[in-house]
Amino acid sequence: MARKGILSTALGSPAASAGGPKPKMMPRGAVGALQSSLSKLQESAVQEIDAALIDDAGYEDRLGLDGAALNQLKESLRTYGQQVPVLLRPHPKAPGRFEIVYGRRRLMALRELGLPVKAMVRQLDDHALVMAQGQENTSRLDLSFIEKASFAAQLQNDGYDRPTIAAALSIDLPMVSRMLKVGTAFELPFLRAIGSAPGVGRDRWMMLVKLFQDPAARARAITRTHRPDFTTYDSDGRFEAVLTHAQGVSQEVKAPPAPPKSRALPGSNGAAVAGIKTTAKGITLTISGKDTPGFDAWFDENAEEIMAELHGRWQKDQPEQPED
């Protein structure tokens, strides 16, 4: 009997349960709260992840990266390490892999350096991914107008409505409309060829949009991006090359402006009392009060009389025109 009693107690018989103290169970709500807290801690924790396990995702918010900028970023990461983590989400279709939400430049540089990637990992659906990527875009002051416009166009192409695009980029609806006029006018390969063009604003891009309405101008511009020398320009220079060819102007035959010519003008004693600079737009006369104190003030007081006398002398030197 004693053995049976011990066995019954060990198995948790009703009699034993009724006689002994019951273990305390955590309420279901508390379990859920604990699990949620653990998930949040895991999401906020920075992890080191092999770059080979990270795939692209979201939308293209960077239109290329110049080699010099990438080398500068690599040097910074090599010297100081990765200070700011990227944001990833678990790959929805490939267990054990991840998708990049933002931090593509850092990922590219770390991948080339062969270093692990410091990242936060969050469970994000496609809509949350767009919002996270867009909010990160608005906080980056170095993102150019065309990069934001292209990002907005990609969202619209995938079916996101304008209020969502406005929320993602933290802009108002009129600005969304202005950005979409530019972003939807160009194909991504063309924009990648030009790059971010950080010094080119909306007005210049709108000029190119209008030119692209002419198929011949569009063809000239796209053809220009395939020329071997195109990559020798920086991104702003590539935009200018495309614009001039869309306008039907060959960038190579456009003569550079002549350098200005400057010389000193001597006074009655042979010393320089003024300077004259000649450019394609005209002549600039400079009289320094330091070299000949008082002469600048005197010239200012008598400028009209002096100019009238010089102009009269010039008119007398002109050849006489034959009478009709």
Side-chain angles (χ1 to χ4, degrees):
M1 294 295 293
R3 290 177 180 274
K4 184 177 180 182
I6 293 172
L7 184 61
S8 298
T9 302
L11 295 175
S13 66
S17 299
K22 296 181 179 180
K24 294 182 179 180
M25 302 296 292
M26 188 175 290
R28 290 185 179 180
V31 173
L34 178 59
Q35 290 176 339
S36 177
S37 298
L38 289 173
S39 297
K40 289 180 179 178
L41 285 172
Q42 186 178 12
E43 289 182 353
S44 61
V46 176
Q47 309 175 41
E48 283 197 350
I49 296 174
D50 187 346
L53 297 176
I54 303 173
D55 299 321
D56 200 9
Y59 297 89
E60 193 169 340
D61 55 2
R62 285 285 184 184
L63 295 173
L65 183 62
D66 290 338
L70 179 60
N71 289 335
Q72 185 178 7
L73 178 58
K74 286 165 60 177
E75 186 60 32
S76 174
L77 291 169
R78 186 185 291 112
T79 304
Y80 303 106
Q82 183 186 351
Q83 302 297 316
V84 181
V86 305
L87 179 61
L88 309 176
R89 72 171 181 177
H91 199 297
K93 297 180 181 179
R97 298 190 65 81
F98 303 88
E99 289 184 331
I100 184 76
V101 179
Y102 59 70
R104 285 167 173 74
R105 288 196 306 169
R106 278 163 281 166
L107 173 60
M108 184 188 307
L110 290 165
R111 182 174 282 145
E112 291 193 10
L113 290 170
L115 297 175
V117 180
K118 293 180 180 179
M120 295 182 294
V121 181
R122 294 181 183 170
Q123 297 286 345
L124 300 173
D125 59 20
D126 290 345
H127 184 273
L129 183 149
V130 166
M131 298 303 293
Q133 188 178 3
Q135 292 299 324
E136 172 70 5
N137 284 342
T138 60
S139 67
R140 297 201 313 240
L141 299 179
D142 62 335
L143 211 62
S144 68
F145 170 81
I146 191 58
E147 286 176 318
K148 293 179 181 179
S150 175
F151 183 75
Q154 292 175 66
L155 293 183
Q156 178 175 267
N157 188 57
D158 269 6
Y160 288 95
D161 59 20
R162 294 194 176 194
T164 300
I165 298 171
L169 288 171
S170 297
I171 56 178
D172 56 26
L173 288 175
M175 179 57 72
V176 170
S177 298
R178 290 192 284 269
M179 282 190 171
L180 288 175
K181 284 181 180 178
V182 175
T184 58
F186 308 104
E187 300 291 337
L188 263 176
F190 175 77
L191 293 180
R192 290 190 196 109
I194 293 178
S196 61
V200 182
R202 175 179 170 269
D203 291 344
R204 300 280 285 169
W205 278 105
M206 277 302 301
M207 187 183 303
L208 190 58
V209 169
K210 293 177 181 177
L211 288 168
F212 262 49
Q213 295 172 2
D214 177 6
R218 181 187 184 95
R220 286 196 301 269
I222 294 174
T223 300
R224 184 66 182 86
T225 65
H226 298 299
R227 296 264 298 272
D229 66 330
F230 190 68
T231 56
T232 63
Y233 302 111
D234 62 14
S235 185
D236 287 342
R238 292 195 293 271
F239 173 86
E240 294 299 333
V242 163
L243 181 65
T244 54
H245 277 257
Q247 293 170 328
V249 179
S250 174
Q251 193 177 39
E252 285 69 30
V253 301
K254 188 177 180 181
K261 296 179 181 179
S262 300
R263 68 182 191 277
L265 297 179
S268 59
N269 59 357
V273 296
I276 187 169
K277 182 170 71 174
T278 305
T279 68
K281 294 183 178 180
I283 291 177
T284 302
L285 180 67
T286 303
I287 298 176
S288 173
K290 181 180 178 181
D291 297 331
T292 53
F295 179 58
D296 55 333
W298 178 87
F299 189 94
D300 183 40
E301 293 176 0
N302 297 276
E304 289 83 359
E305 182 180 348
I306 295 171
M307 189 57 62
E309 181 183 348
L310 291 174
H311 188 257
R313 289 173 56 184
W314 172 80
Q315 286 181 319
K316 289 180 180 179
D317 290 342
Q318 300 307 303
E320 293 184 3
Q321 299 294 327
E323 296 182 359
D324 292 336

